[in-house]
Amino acid sequence: MVKIPLSRFLLMLLMPTTSCSLSTENILVKTNKVVQEIGDMFVGFTLDTYLLRVGWGRFNFSSPKALNLMKAVAPSYIRVGGSMGEDLVFDPHAGPVAHIPPIGKPFKLTATRWDELNEFIHNAGLKLIFAFNAFQRKNDVWDPTNAELLMNYSSQKHYDIAGWELGNEPDLYVRNGRENITGAMMGADFTVLRQILEKSQYKSSLLLGPDMTPLDGYRDPLMREFLSHGGASAVDVVTIHHYYFNGHTAQESSFVSLWWLNKLASRMIHAVDLIDDYQPVRPLWLGETSTGWSGGALHLSDAYAAGFLWMDKLGVCARYGIKGVLRQSLYGGNYGVLQSDMDPNPDYWLTLLYKRLVGNKVFDVTSPSKFVRVYAHCTKLQNLYHYNPGSVTVYAMNVNNDSAILRFPHLPGQDHLDVFWLTPQHGSLRAKVVELNGQAIVYANNVIPPLPPKTVTSGSVTIPPRSFGFIVMPHANLASCKSQSHGPVIG
C-alpha cells in the first residue's frame, strides 16, 4: 500500500477529485425526518472534587487565559463532583487549609474556595452544578444539615446555582470501601433534597442524579430501585457516567478501535429505554464522561487521539436521545481539555467548533463504510460564520488507514461545502497541536484564532486517514432547519 503524505491529503480537500484509487462514500443524510433534538447546552464540562481537596491545584481562576477560553464555549454547564465529594464538608468559617488531608478523610470546602469558583463561573457565562456529600448520614438517612448550610451561604451571596446532585457512582460505594446505600435509600435521600430545594431560593435549580456508572444489565436493578422508590419523581435529570476503558492500560489503537466505538450506541439505547419505563419520564445525561477512567491515558486522552471517541460520543448521544454530555474534565487528570498551564488541548478546539456549528435538530445518517462514521444536524442558527437558516452541518471521522472521498448526493447545495477538517501535527495521534485545514491552531496573546473554513466546490471532500472534522452545507436550504428551537435548558 502506497502511503501519501498528510500534507497532500489536506491539499486535496480543496481540489476536485478525479482519482479512482480512493474509496468514495456516498453518505445518505435522511433529512425527511428530525429524529432528535438537543439543547444549546448539550455539551458541558466537569471539575473533579479532587481539585477542591488540593485547593484547586494549579487551576488559576484569575487567569485571563482560562476565562477567555471558557467564554468562547459558553453557555455550558460545569459540574463539580466526584468520588472525593463523599468526604467534603462545607465550613464557611474555616480559614486557609494548612495541609491536604489523607485520602478517605474529611476535608473542608472553605468559603474562599466556593467564592472563587462561583466568581469564575459567573464571569465566564457558565452554569454550575454541584454534588453534595451523600455520606453525611444519621441512622441510614441522609442528613441535609451541611447541604443547607452551603445553600444558605450561596443564597446570601446571590450565587446562581443551576443544579445540585447528591453522591457519585453509588454502584461503586461498596467496592470503594464505603457503606452500601440501596436504590430505595437513594430515592428517599433525593426526595428529601427535592423538598428542601422547593422551600429554598433554589426551587428552580435542577436536581440531577444518581450519577451511576453505565447501565449494562448488572447495574440495572439499582437504577430501577432508585427510580421506583421516589427517584423518578425527585430528579429533573437522570445521570449516568461513561468511560470506555482503563486509562492506565489503554493503547493508542484503543482510541480508533471499532470495537469500542460500536459498543456505545447499544449502551445508550439500553439506558434510554430503561429510564423511559418510569414515570414521570426524565431526560438522561452523561453526567461525567471521557475516554479512560483513572484519570485517562497520558499522551492520548490529552492528545489528538482522544478526538475520535469524543466526537463519536457526541454524535451517538445526540442521535439516540441523550440530552446532555458533560466532559471529564475541564481541567485535571490526563483528559482535561485545558492543560496545567491553561493552554487548550486538541479536544478543546473540537468542542469549540461543535458548539459553533452544530445545531439542535438531529438527522439520521447512513454511511456505507464502517470506517467512516458520520453525523448530521441542522447548522446552529446563531453562528459566527453567518450561515443562512436552512444550512446543514455534518461531522465525520475516518478511522481507517486509507483516505476516503465523501459525497452527499441527496442534499442540495453541493457546489459549496465549507470544510473544517482537524488533523494532528506531524501526523501523530499523540500530537498536542491540532491543525485546521493544514494550519496549526495557535492560541496566542489571549486571542481565540478565527478558525476559518476552506470552501470546496467540487461536490466532494477527500478526508485523510485517521482524521475528523466538520462540513457545512450553507445552501442546503432545508425547511426543517430554518426554524429550529434553541431547546429547553435541561435538553
Side-chain angles (χ1 to χ4, degrees):
M1 180 176 62
V2 177
K3 295 290 186 179
I4 303 175
L6 182 60
S7 58
R8 180 177 167 189
F9 279 119
L10 294 172
L11 183 61
M12 293 168 69
L13 284 171
L14 309 179
M15 298 172 59
T17 303
T18 58
S19 170
C20 60
S21 63
L22 307 179
S23 65
T24 299
E25 312 298 344
N26 289 317
I27 307 300
L28 174 60
V29 180
K30 301 175 183 178
T31 57
N32 60 313
K33 181 181 179 181
V34 174
V35 294
Q36 297 286 350
E37 288 196 36
I38 58 173
D40 290 341
M41 295 173 65
F42 172 70
V43 184
F45 305 92
T46 69
L47 286 169
D48 199 282
T49 314
Y50 167 80
L51 290 170
L52 281 170
R53 178 177 167 270
V54 297
W56 295 121
R58 294 177 61 190
F59 191 89
N60 182 4
F61 285 113
S62 62
S63 164
K65 185 189 301 184
L67 185 63
N68 194 44
L69 289 167
M70 294 318 297
K71 281 182 176 180
V73 293
S76 296
Y77 289 110
I78 298 288
R79 178 252 187 181
V80 178
S83 298
M84 291 191 183
E86 312 302 6
D87 299 314
L88 181 147
V89 179
F90 176 63
D91 185 349
H93 306 296
V97 178
H99 65 278
I100 299 173
I103 293 177
K105 298 297 182 181
F107 66 93
K108 292 182 178 181
L109 168 59
T110 66
T112 298
R113 290 177 182 171
W114 185 243
D115 293 342
E116 288 173 341
L117 172 64
N118 278 276
E119 183 178 359
F120 176 79
I121 292 289
H122 173 76
N123 290 339
L126 306 172
K127 298 291 186 180
L128 178 62
I129 297 170
F130 185 80
F132 291 125
N133 183 346
F135 279 89
Q136 293 181 321
R137 311 184 70 80
K138 291 181 180 179
N139 301 319
D140 286 336
V141 177
W142 180 60
D143 179 1
T145 303
N146 195 250
E148 290 181 286
L149 183 64
L150 179 59
M151 282 192 283
N152 290 336
Y153 176 85
S154 300
S155 177
Q156 293 169 8
K157 300 285 282 190
H158 304 290
Y159 292 148
D160 182 14
I161 311 299
W164 304 97
E165 298 180 347
L166 180 59
N168 183 77
E169 299 181 350
D171 49 305
L172 301 181
Y173 284 160
V174 174
R175 195 189 78 174
N176 292 337
R178 298 187 183 273
E179 64 184 87
N180 184 40
I181 298 180
T182 67
M185 293 164 67
M186 287 192 299
D189 295 342
F190 273 82
T191 300
V192 170
L193 180 51
R194 165 57 69 191
Q195 293 168 347
I196 292 171
L197 289 174
E198 290 294 328
K199 298 175 183 178
S200 76
Q201 177 182 320
Y202 297 106
K203 181 178 180 178
S204 61
S205 296
L206 301 176
L207 180 55
L208 308 92
D211 285 280
M212 289 177 53
T213 53
L215 301 178
D216 56 3
Y218 174 76
R219 297 173 176 85
D220 291 2
L222 182 62
M223 177 65 85
R224 291 188 181 278
E225 186 179 348
F226 166 74
L227 294 171
S228 63
H229 285 77
S233 298
V235 300
D236 299 293
V237 175
V238 177
T239 51
I240 60 174
H241 296 178
H242 178 269
Y243 295 84
Y244 294 93
F245 37 66
N246 188 333
H248 292 168
T249 59
Q251 304 296 316
E252 184 175 297
S253 59
S254 305
F255 288 76
V256 290
S257 164
L258 289 177
W259 191 84
W260 286 115
L261 288 163
N262 291 336
K263 287 187 68 173
L264 182 62
S266 61
R267 282 201 167 186
M268 296 302 100
I269 293 169
H270 172 73
V272 170
D273 288 347
L274 188 154
I275 303 306
D276 285 351
D277 285 344
Y278 296 87
Q279 297 293 329
V281 176
R282 300 302 192 188
L284 178 65
W285 287 13
L286 293 189
E288 177 188 311
T289 188
S290 196
T291 51
W293 64 81
S294 297
L298 182 63
H299 305 313
L300 289 168
S301 296
D302 54 353
Y304 180 85
F308 294 96
L309 294 174
W310 181 225
M311 174 179 277
D312 192 69
K313 182 169 288 181
L314 295 176
V316 168
C317 288
R319 170 61 185 85
Y320 292 106
I322 308 301
K323 299 303 181 181
V325 181
L326 304 186
R327 166 63 182 265
Q328 178 88 343
S329 62
L330 170 62
Y331 172 91
N334 295 316
Y335 39 37
V337 296
L338 299 184
Q339 302 173 29
S340 60
D341 61 0
M342 302 295 169
D343 279 345
N345 275 324
D347 274 359
Y348 174 85
W349 302 114
L350 190 164
T351 306
L352 179 59
L353 284 171
Y354 185 98
K355 291 183 74 72
R356 284 185 175 183
L357 299 172
V358 177
N360 303 113
K361 293 184 178 180
V362 186
F363 300 111
D364 202 3
V365 181
T366 299
S367 171
S369 170
K370 65 181 180 180
F371 297 108
V372 177
R373 303 171 73 87
V374 186
Y375 303 94
H377 296 227
C378 294
T379 300
K380 190 172 185 178
L381 278 181
Q382 303 296 325
N383 64 81
L384 294 179
Y385 301 95
H386 305 295
Y387 291 125
N388 294 324
S391 303
V392 172
T393 295
V394 165
Y395 48 110
M397 68 186 69
N398 178 12
V399 297
N400 202 359
N401 288 319
D402 298 310
S403 65
I405 302 169
L406 301 189
R407 297 184 185 274
F408 306 90
H410 303 283
L411 283 174
Q414 295 303 296
D415 57 341
H416 183 141
L417 303 175
D418 274 0
V419 178
F420 301 79
W421 210 257
L422 299 169
T423 52
Q425 192 173 56
H426 307 307
S428 170
L429 295 187
R430 296 174 181 262
K432 297 295 288 287
V433 175
V434 64
E435 297 180 347
L436 175 63
N437 299 323
Q439 298 296 316
I441 302 176
V442 178
Y443 184 81
N445 302 318
N446 207 27
V447 174
I448 302 285
L451 306 179
K454 296 292 186 181
T455 298
V456 175
T457 59
S458 63
S460 65
V461 177
T462 301
I463 58 175
R466 294 198 168 184
S467 66
F468 47 79
F470 301 82
I471 303 169
V472 178
M473 303 168 196
H475 305 306
N477 199 33
L478 291 184
S480 57
C481 292
K482 293 183 177 181
S483 59
Q484 65 194 48
S485 69
H486 288 285
V489 172
I490 62 172

